[in-house]
Every structure is written in C-alpha cells, then in structure tokens.
Amino acid sequence: MSKPLSDHDRKKQISVRGLAGPENVAELKVAFNRHLHFTLVKDRNVATKRDYYFALANTVRDHLVGRWIRTQQYYYEKDPKRVYYISLEFYMGRTLQNTMVNLALENACDEAIYQLGLDMEELEDMEEDAGLGNGGLGRLAACFLDSMASLGLAAYGYGIRYEFGIFNQKIVNGWQVEEADDWLRYGNPWEKARPEYMRPVKFYGRTEHSPSGVKWVDAQVVLALPYDTPIPGYRNNIVNTMRLWSAKAPCDFNLKDFNVGGYIQAVLDRNLCENISRVLYPNDNFFEGKELRLKQEYFVVAATLQDIIRRFKVSKFGSREIARTDFNELPNKVAIQLNDTHPAMAIPELMRVLVDEEKLDWDVAWNICTRTCAYTNHTVLPEALERWPIDLFHHLLPRHLEIIFEINRRFLEFVASKYPGDSDRLARMSLIEEGPCKKVNMAHLCIVGSHAVNGVARIHSEILIATLFKDFYELEPHKFQNKTNGITPRRWLVMCNPGLAEVIAERIGEDFVRDLDQLKKLLKFINDDAFIRDIAKIKQENKLKFAVHLEEHYKVKINPQSMFDFQVKRIHEYKRQLLNCLHMITYYNRIKKEPNKHWTPRTIMVGGKAAPGYHTAKMIIRLITAIGEVVNNDPVIGDRLKVLFLENYRVTLAEKAIPSADLSEQISTAGTEASGTGNMKFMLNGALTIGTMDGANVEMAEEAGEENLFIFGMRVEDVDAMDAGKGYHATEYYNRIPELKQAMDQIAGGFFSPKQPDLFKELVDLLMHHDRFKVFADYESYIKCQEKVNELYKKPKEWTKKVIHNIAGCGKFSSDRTISQYAREIWGVEPSLEKIPAPDDSLLKVSLSAL
C-alpha cells in the first residue's frame, strides 16, 4: 500500500495537491463511510475494491454538486453569451483524479484513504475510461471543456452517450482483436440522468408545402434523454456541464399500428431506434457513409438545438416562462462551435427551426444562423471528408435536403454575381457534388453556414486556404482563421506527472498551472546544475515506474537506462508507423553487424488502435509485433534494443507512458497531420521530438528553438515539388540505399515471419508501388537524424538542457491559450481567471449532521 507523503514532502507538495487539514480528512472519511453504507449498501466485511472506488467517487462528487448548482444559477443571473461545443466525440478518460486536482482535494483524499487502510492507486484503477472518442479530435474536445471551465466561460459540451465507446484492443498472436467496451456495465458515478429535459427527434417522413409554410409529417420519433457530467474548472469554483444524449424509444413506439399478436415484436423493436446511441464509429480520419452514422449526427444536433433555444428563451434560473422572443438576439447570446463536419446538420436544422417553426423570413434566419455558427476543420485527407449521398438524405431527412438545396441555390447565385461566367468555379464550390451518385459536401455546407472557419495549426490553416478551401477563401477571406490546438496542463502535467510539476513549482511558483506561458521563466535555470539534476531524476523515476508496469503486462525485461522511444497515436498510413519500422530493422541490422560497438540502448514502443475495417493498419500492427518477436529474442542484441507494441493505447495508458518518454516520434508526411496534440504532451513532459515539419511540430520548433528538436525530412514545399515534377518512385530509393533494400528484403523474404514468408507481401507491395505518403523519400534523412539522437543521448547533461528548452517553450500549447483565442476571436466572449464565490455548504452540513 502506498503511504501518503511525509510532512516534509507534503510541505513541498501543498501547492499543487491541495491542503490535507485534519478537518478535511475527517469529513472525507465520514462521507466515504456514509456512501459505502447508504449509497452502496455494503459494510467493510463484504465491500469490494470497486465498492470502495464508488464510495470515493461519490464522496468527491459531493464536493462538485454545490458548485455545479451555484455555477448554473450564476449563469442565469448574469445571462452571459453561452458557448455550445458540439462534438460527436469526447475522449474523457477517467474523472476521479482530475476532479481531485481541480478541486484541490488530492492530498486530503490520499490521507483519508490511507487512514482507512486502502490504497489510492488501486481504487483509481477501478475506474473505466470514458472512451467516447477515437483520438485527437475527441481528446481535444475534452481538453477544451477543462479550459472553458477554468477560464470561466458559460460553456456546454454536447455529444452522444455511447453505450459502447472505442473498442478495447487485444493483441492475440500478434494481431489486433477488438472487444466491445462495455464501460457502463457497473454504472457511472459522474453522470446524472435528466429525464425532465427529454427531447423528441424526428426521422424519415415527408414534407408538406402550403401557403402557411412547410410541415415535416409522418416522421418517426426518437426521444433524446440527456445525461449531465460536471466539468470543474481549476480551483475557481466553476463547474460547467457536458450533456450527452441517449436514444430512447417513445412509449407508443410501433404500438399505434401493431396487429393482433404483434405487441411483443413491437416492444422488441424499440431496440432499433435505441441503437442510435449504441456505439461509437471507430474510424479516425476516414468517412464511412452509413445511415446509422448520419442518424447519430442529426440526433445530437436536433436535441442540442432544442436545448439551446429553450435556454435562450428563458432568462432566469429555474424559470420555464418564455422571456426572450427576438431571435435577432440569438448570435449575441449563443455561439455554436462545430467540431469538424460531424455536427454540420446544425446549420440546416437551425434554419428549419427558425423558418418552419418560428416563422422567420429566410434572409433574417440565414443571417442569424451564420452569425451563430463556426466550424473547425481537422483534416485535409480526402478520404476523411464527409460527403453524404442525396438519396440517403432524402430518405432520412427530407426537409433538411430541401433546405440544403435552397442554401446552395442562393449561395451559387451569390458566387455567380462575383464571378460571372465562371461555371467551373460554381461546380467546385457547390454544396452538391454532381456525378452518378449526387452527394452533399458537408465541409462546403459548414463554410457557407458559418461566420468563422479555422484550421488547428498554422501550417494546416495555410494549406486549407491554399488548396482545399481556396475558392471559398478568395470569396470571403475574412472567414478564415487559425487556432493552433493545445492540451490542458491540469491533466497532462499536474495530474499525470506530479514529480515534474513540483520541481517546476519549486523554481517558479505554481501559477504556471493556470498560465502556462510562465514556463518561460525556467530558462533562467538552464545552466543550474541542481535543476538539471532534478529534471533528469524525475524522468528516471517515471521510467522506472513505467518499466515496472511494462514488465507486469508484457513479461519483457526492460532496461531503464535505455532511451524510451515512443510512437503512440492511431495506426494510419499517413502517420508513417512504417517509417519507424524501417528504423527498428535498420538499427537491429547495425547492431548485428557490429555487436561489439557501443550502441545507445533503446526501447522502442508503438501503440495505437487500427480501425476494424482498415486492413493495412492491422497489417502494420502485425509487422511491429513480428519485428518485436525477432528482436526481443535475439541473444546478440540483449537489452540494447527492444520493440514493444503497447496494447489498448487509451487516455489512461497515455497518462502512464508519456511522463516516461525520452523521445517522441512525430513523423507524418509533411502536409498530412493537421496539428497533433500528443506531440505537445510529450514536449510538456520532458521528451525530445523527432519529427517532420508538419502540423504543430512547426510551431513547437519555433517556440523551443529548432536546434532543440530533431527535425528531418521533406517540407511541404518539397512534397509539392515532387508531386508537380517527376513524382515519387519508391524503387529509385530502394535501389540506391543498401540498408533500405536490406530491410525491405527481410520483410519481403519472411525474415520476420519465417512460418509465413509472404505474410507482409501486401505491405511490401504498398511501399514499393503505391505509397501515397512517400515513406522511402524520408528514410535517409530519418536514419541520419536518429543517429544524432543516439549521440546526444550519450551526453545526459546536454540532452537535459534541450529538455528544459522544450518544457520552457510549451506555454503556447496550453488549451487555455487556444480557448482564449476562440473566445475573443470567434465567440465574442471574454475569458476570466476570476473565482466565483464558493457555494454555501452549510445546507449540506446540516443535512449530513441530521443523518
């Protein structure tokens, strides 16, 4: 059992972990025992570890409730402009420890749990990840919620309460196998169902046009049941709300028209419409045009807009009486941010509500709509862009298709007036793509229906206006902005790396947690031997801790002195895990060739999930596991090189792995990774980056100094020049570079799969003949750069100085900075670091003493 901190350590750690006063601790113990007894109906003789986790979660949640109610009251009294962040994904991870950090309860809870004879880490490990996201886009939404609450914005996250989140990944005989993520099996202590705010959502049916307007009739109704999760700001007494919708069949579902004996089947068929919120689509950067997915996209938007309009119409807390009816005020009171095109249906749905239900004139409604909505683009990959077939649209959402046609008609009239006779431009810019199967281009709908469009890193935003959205930029340049992504320093430093947070706080105080720019002050200590030693010592402790975790889970002995080299992200061709594989093989071959040379020892770890239908990505995982089988069992190599595939990479594993990293691999082909946020997490936690000039890597190099990153490979201009010129020919590199040829021949010849020599035939064929991402073009530059990494790692002091430069350059990559820019430049609201008054907890205390 891990003992809490000694008094000496606690004095050091008071700031970041909160006070553990005896009254606090006693109160927490009483509440814990009360929940064990009254909420879980257990005593200490029969309670399980899970019961103890739930008792603790409920105890911590009690500290949120007063603040949560008070925050919502405060918003109703102040009537600020509200921000609605709509996303199909919120990749939240675990909630317990993050809540303790943000409420400054961590020390007190540690002490209370210790006094109760329990182990805090064991209890924390009982919590299921809320895996309601695929990767970067979903985790960004989660970081944004933390920052919006910490900056005092009246903000709401709206999404879907998937019954099954991202699948759990098992590696069986080297292959990925998916298991359903039944994360709600034991219940979720952090959510509160709100059946009183249930909303109807319609599908199918037809439209009726009459002089009095348009009606959508004969539709099927599904109910949206909201579940609210509290989102605490960092020590400012603000608790915002994430509201996730669950699909419910109405009571009369299929019963109106059932025939004699059809009653049982009618009840069983309720499942069909409740399937809408059953499962998260597990694709990252890939569009799969399935009806159920379009249903999900409309479901979240229709339910959310009803909520937004209800809240807009009432002004005082708890009142249901309509106070505000002038919809011209909507853009002054509501900002809607669309996280990628997935919630694009918000635009035609808002138009439908304003025109059909509220009877506004089209032009007035359209002005309101565009001033309210804004759109964030997350990718330039063509296979990721959403294009819905018109036939599917007409079947599922007949009224919305009519509205989209009308938006398009008016928009093309406007374009034609600016560019008379340019029919090619009209075709390129249309919301409707012509062809054998007509489609709605959702990105075009978002641009036309929004007042602001942003990319997520400077280079990405520049690529958008130069290529994908060039025509739209020429038409309305004022719409286009950049908002470089960020990460929350609460979860990604204070919570996951308390040792590093403390070493920093000792030098510059603790205000950096709210204002990450203060990390610049660390540059004063760049030549301070004691600081350099402290940073290196924390890294070594984190590596030892992760090595223990690895040895428990993978039964491989890890050399903690080796360089911990990580590439953790979704498995995708553009992220070039295959380039990493070629380095593993090359390094292996070099050690084999000169086994007596002094090689820098490395543990190379790759983690991430492959979409279940993405065959190539699954083969990439199999190649990594195959390389590991050979390398890890070669006695000549010993502990100088290990290759591990980290199973089931997710938020909680990231929190354990990232603090232990020495090297972060960010090696996408220049121009393909919109931003990346894992890159920022590694930088903040004291890893050095080897990467291409892509996504946010460009700005990281700018902030930390390019000499403090290992930058290699083609730039965007080089890739463009290659495409415009002679093109990419893999065989030229293969024939010219002996080590590349050797590695490819080993993969092709079955060296890594002796029982199935042609196992990797398809991957070899891909790399040699149709590699869109030009892996071989960057191979030489990458290998040379990895040699530089090895050389620097042999000089720990110089390495650590570069680490300090990187940490000091992280300020820009706080999601607090990102959200402040969205707030001021898109939403028209002002962020604030003010605390609101704490709620009066005397009521709670009275009710507790009555027990």
Side-chain angles (χ1 to χ4, degrees), residues 184-200:
L184 294 167
R185 182 175 41 215
Y186 299 107
N188 173 7
W190 304 106
E191 68 182 10
K192 174 74 185 83
R194 299 281 188 201
E196 66 276 22
Y197 293 118
M198 195 130 58
R199 307 271 166 237

Side-chain angles (χ1 to χ4, degrees), residues 617-674:
K618 290 186 147 179
M619 287 308 302
I620 292 170
I621 291 175
R622 185 64 191 95
L623 176 60
I624 296 163
T625 58
I627 294 168
E629 284 159 25
V630 170
V631 170
N632 301 347
N633 295 301
D634 189 325
V636 175
I637 300 295
D639 66 357
R640 291 179 291 186
L641 179 61
K642 291 279 184 253
V643 172
L644 295 182
F645 188 85
L646 300 176
E647 186 176 80
N648 204 30
Y649 183 68
R650 60 200 185 283
V651 174
T652 292
L653 185 54
E655 292 161 3
K656 292 178 165 69
I658 291 171
S660 78
D662 292 307
L663 188 67
S664 158
E665 304 259 359
Q666 308 296 336
I667 58 178
S668 53
T669 313
T672 63
E673 187 73 88

